[in-house]
Amino acid sequence: MKVTIVYWSGTGNTEAMAQAVCEGARSAGAQAELLPVAAASADLPEGVLVLGCPAMGSEELEESEFEPWFSAVLPALAGRKVGLFGSYDWGDGEWMRLWQERVKEAGGIMIADGLICNCSPDGAALAGCRALGELAAKG
């Protein structure tokens, strides 16, 4: 199974989560590719897509790089298996609920509820990220 993990990180928290997702996918036998959004194409490869972005502003996706890329690929999510993750520092995770709804409305198939952690991912959050990667590897 091919798993592509695309993420944006400003402080390194979401990047650490992305690396753990990638580790989990690889440990479960997937061919996993880890890409910062700046290096990701809007032409999505086959397989499961796992996306990571922290909450920004008033609980929104990062607006200069991630949001434009996500908006461009949104139509291509129809029928695709998708996982979401990210960190936040305030609020209650509303950005993740809204993000999941956008994926579902586009026809994407969520492999699990979006995974969130407050600030820096601790051991439990990183274990959850590895588990998300393992789940993605199962397709």
Side-chain angles (χ1 to χ4, degrees):
M1 175 58 60
K2 175 138 174 88
V3 176
T4 303
I5 302 128
V6 178
Y7 71 95
W8 185 90
S9 186
T11 63
N13 293 337
T14 302
E15 182 176 17
M17 295 175 78
Q19 290 170 347
V21 170
C22 189
E23 290 168 11
R26 288 179 178 159
S27 75
Q31 177 188 353
E33 183 176 18
L34 182 62
L35 295 169
V37 73
S41 166
D43 183 22
L44 300 174
E46 295 297 317
V48 178
L49 187 63
V50 186
L51 307 176
C53 186
M56 304 292 288
S58 59
E59 291 211 58
E60 301 165 338
L61 297 175
E62 189 278 327
E63 65 185 3
S64 66
E65 289 183 75
F66 196 89
E67 176 62 43
W69 178 85
F70 180 69
S71 291
V73 302
L74 197 55
L77 298 184
R80 296 281 306 257
K81 292 186 178 180
V82 179
L84 303 176
F85 65 93
S87 61
Y88 69 102
D89 189 17
W90 62 91
D92 68 353
E94 178 184 26
W95 106 100
M96 183 59 72
R97 292 189 298 275
L98 295 173
W99 193 11
Q100 288 179 151
E101 281 306 310
R102 289 176 71 189
V103 169
K104 290 175 187 175
E105 288 172 4
I109 303 161
M110 294 293 301
I111 61 170
D113 285 338
L115 179 63
I116 62 175
C117 81
N118 186 259
C119 297
S120 297
D122 59 12
L126 292 174
C129 291
R130 285 189 286 277
L132 179 62
E134 291 168 5
L135 185 61
K138 294 177 184 174

